[in-house]
Amino acid sequence: ARVLLAKKLRNTFKAGSALRENGICFFVNSGSEANELAFRLARAFTKGTNSIVVERAYHGCTNITVDLSPYKFLGRGGEGKPDWVEVIQCPDTYRG
């Protein structure tokens, strides 16, 4: 069933596109797991180590997502911002 669903999802991409022809589909159990996987894939692809996050953000409760979440690392019991994380202000879409 998962393989069939993955094929159906892949077929939603434009014909001839790399994602449709060579796309890989990951199924995860939670938002935390999805965020951790996305972070690991981005690091593997870019070979980078730094990250930018928005203040007050919450990304989940795995080891990596806690390190990416100001809500967690600056909150009660948090260990502070890791050196490889930069925190930016949350945009104010109402006031500009």
Side-chain angles (χ1 to χ4, degrees):
R2 287 178 287 200
V3 172
L4 181 60
L5 178 57
K7 286 180 180 179
K8 284 183 177 182
L9 289 170
R10 195 173 74 185
N11 287 337
T12 63
F13 292 104
K14 184 177 175 181
S17 71
L19 286 173
R20 184 165 182 167
E21 303 306 318
N22 305 313
I24 296 172
C25 187
F26 293 96
F27 292 99
V28 295
N29 294 314
S30 67
S32 294
E33 190 175 344
N35 287 339
E36 178 143 348
L37 176 61
F39 179 76
R40 291 173 57 203
L41 290 170
R43 268 193 166 175
F45 181 77
T46 65
K47 307 292 187 247
T49 56
N50 295 336
S51 295
I52 300 171
V53 297
V54 178
E55 65 185 352
R56 299 188 305 271
Y58 173 79
H59 297 96
C61 59
T62 65
N63 288 339
I64 290 175
T65 58
V66 167
D67 284 346
L68 289 170
S69 300
Y71 171 84
K72 288 285 194 181
F73 63 66
L74 294 177
R76 188 169 156 183
E79 297 180 10
K81 181 181 77 65
D83 292 339
W84 50 272
V85 173
E86 293 299 325
V87 180
I88 61 171
Q89 279 189 325
C90 187
D92 186 338
T93 56
Y94 180 74
R95 292 181 181 83

